[in-house]
Each structure stands twice: as structure tokens, then as C-alpha cells.
Amino acid sequence: MTEYNDNKGLQLRTLIEDDTDFIPLLTPDDEENFEAEKMPDILPILPLRNMVLFPGVVIPITVGRDKSINLIKDANLGNKIIGVVAQKNDQIEDPAFEDLHTVGTVANIVKVLKMPDGNTTVIIQGKKRFKVTNFIQSEPYHKANVVPFNDPKPLRTDKEFEAIISNIKEVSHQIVKKSPNIPSDAGFALNNIEGPNFLINFVSSNMNSTTEEKQLMLEIADLKTRAMKLLEYLNKDLQMLELRNQITDKTKQDIDKQQREYFLNQQMKTIQEELGGNNFEQEIVELKERGKNKKWSKQVQEVFEKNISKLQRMNPNAAEYAIQTNYVELLLDLPWQEEATSDNFDLKHAQTILDEDHFGLDKVKDRIIEHLAVLKLKKNLKSPIICLYGPPGVGKTSLGKSIAKALGRKYVRMSLGGLKDESEIRGHRKTYIGAMPGRILQNLKKVQSSNPVFILDEIDKVGNDFHGDPSSALLEVLDPEQNSNFYDNFLEMDYDLSKVMFIATCNNLNTIQPALRDRMEIIEVNGYTVEEKIEIAKQHLIPKQTEETGLKKTQLKLSDKVIEYIIDNYTGESGVRGLEKKISKIARYTAVSIAKNEASPKIDEGSLNKILGPAHVKDKYQGNDIAGVVTGLAWTQVGGDILFIETSLSKSKNAKLTLTGNLGDVMKESATLALEYIKAHPHILDVKPEVFEEYSIHIHVPEGATPKDGPSAGIAMLTSLASAFTKRKVKKALAMTGEITLRGKVLPVGGIKEKILAAKRAGIKEIILCADNKKDIEDIKPHYLKGLQFHYVSRMEEVLDAALLKEKVK
């Protein structure tokens, strides 16, 4: 048994070498459990010499007296519960009743060990205090009637008690730090003690005090009083320890630092020579050999030779040696301009690769082929940086992989989401401890190519704080006129990034710094139609999930009708990420059946409710039976969506407008504009002007937990107000989007394709748009527009004519 214990310090733990059991520190829950345990009325009493056991504390004791050995044997065979008390006189071998203290601790026998020298060592843990009322037996060992000795606990709001506990911890840490005989790990033990009661007991058990003083601590009933007494003992111990250390320091003979270093260096040199040479010198020789094989410019060669010479002169034990070594290795590991892969500019091959990896996205593919054609003819990359912009799950990142595959280049991806430190892009200066190059150079070093396809993922989610603005650092990286001289703080020289094909991806252009957005050519990657999603599922998602779940191709078959049902009823997205998750769930369900040696389950619309749960897609058109309810079209970061504008009127002496639904300032202004226009032109609705003074108006946009903003709901709010005041029904299966002005004009809005896809998902048949948005419709492929009828308007009156029926709500 190896016991880490010092009578003048803090006990850390007891480690039993036989089976390496570790006795853990007591938790507050353990204390509560100990307090809740019922104490026996009669306990066998074990006397201790030179030791006091406190509740919760684990101590080893060596048992040698016959009575003690008999007690331990009987207790270990029984419930393992004993009473432990301290002797008043340590010299008495066979103590009588009057030689024992009457306050002790109930203990649990944790382990009994037979030692090689024949002695018996017992590990015991204190539980709670007791008081002896009378001793009832002395043979073969002592027994006594006992009662609990509980102390009142201080209130949780007792700030003075909290301050005492804090001081106890602080002084204990100082004693651990200043005492040469206490293991430094004792500080961790103190930090891990949570309850103040156990902290007091633990420190009391191990403080540098006499047995009488410890017994006095045990007998103090009030916890706060006991804590004050403990603090008094600890401060006294600390003062004595500081005084002893001062005396030791004064009498200690100092060794000259330079002599010590010289002596150690000579020893190290001798040892290295015996082992076959100096490792540091061998490392420098290897670095020089690697430098001979590099094909780099004269400037880089000079920098390398200068730094390798500086490294050779440095003391290997110096803190700067590691940084200097990292710098030289970076020069060797970086792919310089000669280390580039050859490009495959076969555009037919590139088109084939893009078509194999992605279904649809024809406009995006055409733009990528154009980009590659320019590179082929121009033979350099000084062209705009591509930024693929669109909702999640449409394949922006995987498009970058396909481009790398088509060109035969290496592929590297760097996620910019949440990046806040400019040094992540530009690197740290070598003066800092732990300095390293920026992630641009780190990724090039990893990919070992000077012309990879480099994906800057989620460029719209770059943050900034007091460490700097990474998006500003990216200005140099993404400018073809500047990135040939990219400066990294760690490299401390220009590095040519002009051959790297940077492709950025983002979900939202509004959060990208304007100067950064200006440096990139934005290619919009729109969402997919239902038909495209079906083909993507058949060509890509189902085969992928079949392979990942270990199924055969014949074991997972989904018909077009089933895939369409999943799309319509279980996903509401522009991309296919959610669809892939649903197919993955179906694949796992099939795998379970096959693993149970059952037949492959038939997947149809009926079984989908069992596998995927009930359908939950909610953005469906909800009818036109209520006046004042209009369907609008909205654009979100995850694609298009529909929203409902609801207006209700209530009689009121003080007419007012109330807006609810978590609306932004621009959306609130649209509602105010629409109302003011109707007030100014009551003849359009064929109502009397006085009616606006008789009713309070409440406009609500459901899903209040979702923030909404933007001007595109303007004509929807106008139509909702008009329908509420006239009681006229809104045309069935109709949706609209457009901005309004106080003069009655309708202005164009963005995100038209996403909004149209959302309208088709929701079952909309007719859409009202600004006439200026007609060009956006003409850019969309006809199959996206199938089943939709468009009304192009320029004035608010045209909106109402197209949207409202003559029929009124009853």
C-alpha cells in the first residue's frame, strides 16, 4: 500500500497497489445519503491512537491489538459499520471506558488488507458523528449505546459563512503550494470538493494539529463555529510554514545559473555523442537536404538559407527554437508555384462529370463550363471568384468537388462559419508563443498543390470581434489583382494564390461585406422542383443510402409516387437534405427487417406513416372562406415559403392599427402604407370614408415565433385590408408578392423562383406579381411554371381587381 499522506499537510488519496482502487472524494449527494442513514443504537467501538476520524474522510489504519482485530473481523463479516473514537492518552495499550472520548464517528469498512509483514490494514470511511451515552461491553471488544451528534447547518444566504469557506480553501491552497512535503496534486483534490461540510472535515482531518485539537474540532456542534476554528488553525500553520521556508531560503547555497546550464549542456552533449550524434544537428542536416530538392524562386531560396543559418546558431533549449523550426518546415512543406497539378480542360469531360454528380442546375453548370473555357483559352486564373449562392441542401459545396474532379485538381475545403479572428486567415506574427500560419496556407500545405480547387464554405457566416475582421482579410485573398502577393504574418513574405481556384458558398448575400461581395461573381443556385427532386432521389440519394446501410440495390426500391409523397408531406425545403434524411430513415427500417431475416418491407404511402410518422408539412393553401385572409409569398434563407396575412376589424371609438406576428420595421411600414392608401382612396373599395374611424384594425401574420421583415408583403397586406373592409372573398388558390408605394404603384421584389417553388408546394394556382418581375419569370424554365397562371400588375387597383371576387363572405 502506497499512502500519500503527511501528518503536517493535506492527505490527497490512498492508492492500493493490489487492484489500484481509487477512493473518491465525497460529493454533496453522498453527504445527504450519510445523514439520511439510520444510526444503530449500539455500535462496536474501535479506539484510535494519534488519529481522529471525521465524517466523509477515508483513512487507512493498521490494526494490531487483539480487541481491534476481533472487532474488525466480526464487523467485516456483518454490516461493516463500526464506531471510531480517539483515545485520550496515546500511550495506553488497552484503554478502559474512561480513557476514550465520548464523541466519535460512525465508520464504514471499505477494505481489509493483509499486508506482507503480517499486519492488517483497514480502509475506513467516516459517515456521521455520534455521542456515547454509556459503554455496555468491554470483551471481546468495546460496545456502547450511542445517539446521533448532528450539528445545525448555516443558512444558504449566510454570506459570512460563504466567506469563511472561501478563506479556508485559499489558505489550504497556499499551504499545499508552500509545503515541500505535500504533493502538488492535493490542490486538485481541494478544488473537487463541493460541499462546505466535507471541506471542513477533510481539511480538519489533515491539518497540522494535535490529536486533542482535532478532537476539539470534532466536538464543536455548530458548523460555522467549527469553520472559524479551522481557519484559525490553518492561519497559524501557514505562518509557521512561511517562517520555516524563509529560514531555509536564507541558509540554502545557490548554484550559479550559468554554471548549472553549462554543466547540464556538457552532460547532454556527452550523452548525445554516446548515442550517435546530436539530434538537433541531424535535424538541420535533413532540413538542408530537403531544401536542395525544392524548386523555388531566388527570393524564397535566400529566405530559407538565412533562416536555416539562424536556426543552426540558436540554442535548442531556447523558446524561439521551436518557432524557428516550424517556420523553416513551413517553407519546405508549402507548395510553391512549380508544385501544381496539370489541368484537364476537356469541357465535354467536365460537362459529363457535372451531369453525373448533379441533376438539374443547368444554368449553374453552364456558367461553370464558361468559366473553365475562359481558363483554357486565357491560361491564367485572373477572373472573378465564383460565389455559389442559394438555400441549404441544393449542392453548392458538392459542386466545388465536381469542379475539382472535372479539372483533375486537388480539392480542399475551409469552413468559415463562426470565424472571428483575422489571424485565422493571415496567421500570427512569429513573436507570439504558439504562432502558426493562417488557415489558407495551412490548407495548401495539407493538400500539397499550389493550384487546388479551394472551397470557402459559408462565407456569409464570418463574424468579427476585438480580434479583427476576417472578412476584411479575405478581401486580399479573393481579389485576382491582389492575391498573387498574399501576405501571411507568419510566412512574412508574399505567396502567390493566383493559381488557386477559389469558390465561395453562402446562403445569404445581405450579411457579406459589400466590398467582399463586389469581388465575387454571384451564381445563384436555386431550389429544385418536385420533378427534379424525384430524379435526384433516384439517381443519387437512394443509391447512396443503399450503400451506406449495406443493402442491395434490389432491397430498397421507392416508386416515383412514393418519393413525391415524401417530398409533399414530409419535407418543405428548397434543397434535398431533408429528403435524404427521410430516405435514410426508410433505408434503416429496411435494414432492420432484413437483419431479422424478414422479407424486404414494401414501401408505399400507407407504410410511410409508420416509418416516418404522421405528415407535418404545414405550408398549404388554407382556403378563402374568411374575409381578410390573404396568402403572401416570402423568401427565407432556406428557400421560399408562403405566409398568411390576416386582418380583423372591431368596432371602436378610437380607431387604431395593431400589428402582431413578430414583424420587422419594413413590414410594419408596408401595413401602414396599405392602410393610408385605402383611406386616401375609399372609392376604390366603394366604402364611405367614415368607416375607417369606426373600426380598429388588427393585422396579424401567423407563426409569431419566426421574425419576418421585408417589403414584399405590401400588396398582400393591401388585399387583406380591402377584403376585410368590403367583406369580399379573395380568389381561391391565389398568392401574391410585391412592394407598394404611397402613390399606388407596385414595385418588383426578389427571390421570384424560390417563391414560385413554394407556391407550387403549397398548391397555389395563380400568382400576382409586379409587371417588372416578368423578366424574372422569363428566365425560369417552363417546367417550373407548369400549372401556374400569372397576373402582372403595376397599380394597386389592378391588384384588387385581380384578387377580390364580387362574392361576399356571409
Side-chain angles (χ1 to χ4, degrees):
M1 180 184 71
T2 302
E3 178 189 348
Y4 294 93
N5 185 50
D6 185 352
N7 290 332
K8 297 179 180 180
L10 294 172
Q11 174 189 349
L12 174 61
R13 62 181 178 263
T14 300
L15 185 67
I16 303 162
E17 292 178 344
D18 296 342
D19 51 6
T20 63
D21 288 340
F22 177 65
I23 307 301
L25 296 173
L26 200 68
T27 66
D29 290 340
D30 295 331
E31 290 187 62
E32 291 181 8
N33 292 336
F34 287 171
E35 289 295 332
E37 287 183 9
K38 187 176 180 182
M39 181 188 296
D41 295 331
I42 299 175
L43 282 175
I45 302 299
L46 177 67
L48 294 184
R49 289 190 287 190
N50 297 313
M51 194 176 295
V52 177
L53 176 65
F54 286 81
V57 177
V58 179
I59 62 171
I61 58 173
T62 300
V63 179
R65 294 184 282 201
D66 292 338
K67 286 186 178 182
S68 299
I69 293 172
N70 291 332
L71 185 150
I72 293 299
K73 284 182 179 178
D74 290 351
N76 197 37
L77 294 173
N79 60 5
K80 299 181 183 294
I81 301 298
I82 62 174
V84 176
V85 296
Q87 291 182 203
K88 295 178 181 178
N89 187 345
D90 300 335
Q91 304 302 319
I92 297 176
E93 183 66 27
D94 186 12
F97 299 151
E98 60 272 12
D99 298 321
L100 302 176
H101 289 284
T102 56
V103 177
T105 305
V106 178
N108 178 53
I109 297 176
V110 178
K111 200 171 193 67
V112 178
L113 299 171
K114 292 288 186 181
M115 304 308 292
D117 58 3
N119 288 330
T120 299
T121 297
V122 184
I123 310 297
I124 59 174
Q125 182 174 29
K127 288 194 168 187
K128 57 199 298 187
R129 294 184 294 172
F130 68 84
K131 185 170 185 178
V132 175
T133 56
N134 65 294
F135 288 95
I136 60 175
Q137 174 184 308
S138 62
E139 294 296 338
Y141 43 79
H142 295 304
K143 278 190 178 182
N145 288 322
V146 297
V147 293
F149 188 80
N150 296 326
D151 55 284
K153 293 186 172 54
L155 299 173
R156 291 186 179 179
T157 55
D158 192 338
K159 299 297 183 184
E160 184 181 0
F161 179 71
E162 292 178 3
I164 295 170
I165 293 298
S166 178
N167 280 342
I168 288 173
K169 274 197 174 184
E170 184 179 348
V171 175
S172 299
H173 276 294
Q174 291 182 39
I175 292 173
V176 170
K177 187 177 179 182
K178 294 182 179 181
S179 175
N181 299 321
I182 302 177
S184 59
D185 288 350
F188 293 106
L190 287 169
N191 290 333
N192 288 329
I193 296 176
E194 301 175 22
N197 198 348
F198 179 56
L199 176 67
I200 293 169
N201 291 332
F202 183 80
V203 178
S204 298
S205 176
N206 297 283
M207 67 181 178
N208 184 20
S209 300
T210 64
T211 305
E212 287 75 17
E213 288 173 334
K214 291 184 178 181
Q215 181 65 30
L216 176 63
M217 290 290 299
L218 186 68
E219 293 179 1
I220 297 175
D222 182 61
L223 185 62
K224 185 174 177 182
T225 306
R226 188 149 29 111
M228 282 293 294
K229 194 67 176 176
L230 174 61
L231 189 57
E232 179 185 329
Y233 286 143
L234 289 176
N235 280 318
K236 178 182 175 182
D237 191 17
L238 180 60
Q239 290 173 9
M240 292 297 294
L241 189 60
E242 288 175 343
L243 183 60
R244 188 168 67 244
N245 287 342
Q246 287 174 8
I247 295 170
T248 303
D249 291 341
K250 287 178 182 179
T251 58
K252 183 179 178 182
Q253 184 177 3
D254 292 333
I255 300 176
D256 185 80
K257 184 180 177 183
Q258 290 183 351
Q259 290 179 340
R260 182 173 178 272
E261 287 183 356
Y262 175 77
F263 176 72
L264 292 173
N265 285 329
Q266 287 298 112
Q267 277 193 328
M268 187 181 297
K269 187 176 180 180
T270 305
I271 292 169
Q272 288 170 348
E273 288 175 355
E274 289 291 330
L275 292 173
N278 189 319
N279 290 335
F280 297 109
E281 291 179 0
Q282 289 180 356
E283 184 180 1
I284 291 173
V285 170
E286 290 173 2
L287 292 174
K288 286 182 176 180
E289 286 298 319
R290 287 178 60 192
K292 291 178 182 178
N293 300 324
K294 295 291 288 186
K295 298 178 180 178
W296 45 27
S297 65
K298 183 179 178 182
Q299 178 195 4
V300 180
Q301 181 70 37
E302 290 174 353
V303 171
F304 173 75
E305 290 175 356
K306 178 181 176 182
N307 280 276
I308 200 76
S309 299
K310 182 179 178 182
L311 181 66
Q312 204 165 3
R313 294 192 302 271
M314 289 179 73
N315 184 343
N317 297 315
E320 295 83 5
Y321 186 85
I323 296 176
Q324 187 67 20
T325 304
N326 289 340
Y327 181 77
V328 173
E329 288 180 344
L330 176 67
L331 291 177
L332 292 167
D333 292 337
L334 272 178
W336 299 92
Q337 292 309 301
E338 294 76 11
E339 301 171 47
T341 56
S342 55
D343 291 329
N344 179 5
F345 284 120
D346 185 345
L347 300 186
K348 290 183 179 179
H349 170 73
Q351 185 71 56
T352 303
I353 294 293
L354 292 173
D355 289 338
E356 285 177 356
D357 293 347
H358 297 83
F359 183 85
L361 303 177
D362 294 334
K363 186 177 179 181
V364 180
K365 292 177 186 175
D366 290 344
R367 180 63 191 86
I368 291 171
I369 294 297
E370 290 171 6
H371 192 74
L372 299 182
V374 171
L375 295 180
K376 181 178 181 179
L377 298 177
K378 199 176 177 186
K379 291 184 173 49
N380 69 47
L381 274 179
K382 294 218 171 171
S383 56
I385 308 296
I386 291 176
C387 178
L388 301 175
Y389 152 65
V394 294
K396 301 184 295 297
T397 304
S398 60
L399 268 170
K401 271 189 180 179
S402 298
I403 294 171
K405 185 178 174 183
L407 279 173
R409 291 192 179 193
K410 292 186 177 180
Y411 167 84
V412 62
R413 172 184 167 274
M414 174 180 167
S415 177
L416 298 174
L419 201 71
K420 291 185 177 181
D421 193 344
E422 179 193 347
S423 60
E424 292 281 347
I425 306 296
R426 289 193 177 278
H428 308 84
R429 299 192 182 278
K430 287 193 291 183
T431 52
Y432 296 111
I433 295 174
M436 61 178 64
R439 289 174 61 186
I440 299 290
L441 293 191
Q442 285 184 44
N443 279 290
L444 292 177
K445 173 184 168 183
K446 179 175 69 175
V447 80
Q448 282 298 297
S449 172
S450 63
N451 66 337
V453 174
F454 201 124
I455 304 297
L456 298 169
D457 220 0
E458 311 292 358
I459 199 170
D460 56 325
K461 297 174 181 63
V462 175
N464 61 76
D465 63 5
F466 62 92
H467 291 296
D469 183 5
S471 61
S472 297
L474 285 170
L475 294 175
E476 182 183 8
V477 176
L478 298 182
D479 191 335
E481 298 299 325
Q482 298 179 36
N483 65 9
S484 57
N485 298 310
F486 173 69
Y487 186 86
D488 185 277
N489 291 326
F490 186 82
L491 187 62
E492 292 184 336
M493 71 170 98
D494 293 338
Y495 185 87
D496 189 358
L497 295 176
S498 63
K499 290 186 178 181
V500 180
M501 179 184 282
F502 287 104
I503 299 177
T505 71
C506 71
N507 302 129
N508 185 3
L509 292 174
N510 297 329
T511 56
I512 302 177
Q513 190 184 121
L516 184 59
R517 189 169 65 238
D518 185 60
R519 282 165 165 77
M520 301 184 292
E521 178 171 343
I522 309 298
I523 299 179
E524 189 170 356
V525 185
N526 291 308
Y528 300 106
T529 61
V530 173
E531 293 77 15
E532 286 176 330
K533 288 183 180 180
I534 291 172
E535 289 301 319
I536 291 170
K538 287 162 61 179
Q539 295 182 24
H540 300 284
L541 305 184
I542 295 176
K544 178 183 175 183
Q545 292 304 321
T546 301
E547 182 180 348
E548 289 187 357
T549 50
L551 297 173
K552 297 177 182 177
K553 292 182 180 179
T554 56
Q555 291 173 330
L556 181 62
K557 289 186 177 180
L558 301 179
S559 65
D560 291 4
K561 189 176 181 182
V562 169
I563 299 172
E564 184 175 355
Y565 185 83
I566 296 171
I567 293 167
D568 289 340
N569 295 280
Y570 292 95
T571 67
E573 57 180 352
S574 296
V576 292
R577 196 167 283 150
L579 176 60
E580 183 177 7
K581 291 176 183 176
K582 300 302 178 186
I583 293 173
S584 173
K585 195 168 184 179
I586 294 171
R588 293 194 300 271
Y589 177 83
T590 304
V592 170
S593 298
I594 293 172
K596 290 180 178 179
N597 297 321
E598 300 172 1
S600 298
K602 182 181 179 182
I603 309 298
D604 54 23
E605 294 178 12
S607 62
L608 287 177
N609 287 335
K610 178 182 177 183
I611 302 170
L612 303 178
H616 54 80
V617 175
K618 57 190 175 184
D619 56 346
K620 292 290 183 183
Y621 176 72
Q622 297 179 358
N624 66 337
D625 297 328
I626 300 173
V629 180
V630 177
T631 305
L633 297 176
W635 180 91
T636 69
Q637 292 187 30
V638 294
D641 201 356
I642 68 168
L643 51 82
F644 300 100
I645 313 292
E646 303 173 348
T647 300
S648 67
L649 307 178
S650 58
K651 283 276 188 179
S652 176
K653 291 182 181 179
N654 299 315
K656 63 179 181 178
L657 174 64
T658 304
L659 303 171
T660 56
N662 204 349
L663 310 182
D665 292 338
V666 177
M667 205 164 181
K668 290 178 181 178
E669 289 170 0
S670 295
T672 306
L673 277 173
L675 178 60
E676 293 303 320
Y677 181 78
I678 290 175
K679 283 183 178 181
H681 304 82
H683 61 277
I684 296 176
L685 306 182
D686 195 20
V687 295
K688 296 179 181 179
E690 296 80 22
V691 73
F692 299 111
E693 305 300 325
E694 299 174 2
Y695 291 94
S696 283
I697 304 164
H698 188 156
I699 298 178
H700 177 65
V701 183
E703 297 185 40
T706 306
K708 311 167 192 74
D709 203 5
S712 61
I715 63 173
M717 288 184 167
L718 170 76
T719 307
S720 179
L721 286 167
S723 174
F725 276 110
T726 61
K727 301 296 181 184
R728 289 166 63 183
K729 284 187 175 183
V730 178
K731 189 180 289 186
K732 192 173 183 179
L734 174 76
M736 59 190 72
T737 181
E739 184 180 354
I740 58 176
T741 71
L742 203 55
R743 292 176 294 164
K745 295 184 69 176
V746 178
L747 302 180
V749 292
I752 296 300
K753 183 177 178 182
E754 298 299 328
K755 292 177 179 179
I756 288 172
L757 290 176
K760 291 194 72 174
R761 287 198 300 269
I764 299 296
K765 303 297 181 186
E766 298 182 45
I767 297 177
I768 299 177
L769 293 172
C770 173
D772 291 340
N773 280 126
K774 190 172 183 179
K775 63 181 183 299
D776 298 307
I777 300 297
E778 291 171 351
D779 287 341
I780 300 173
K781 288 194 172 184
H783 66 268
Y784 283 89
L785 311 176
K786 187 178 179 181
L788 292 176
Q789 180 183 350
F790 295 93
H791 302 276
Y792 299 106
V793 296
S794 300
R795 303 276 310 167
M796 292 191 188
E797 296 90 332
E798 299 174 42
V799 175
L800 299 180
D801 290 342
L804 297 181
L805 302 173
K806 298 295 182 184
E807 179 185 357
K808 293 191 176 184
V809 177
K810 296 180 181 179

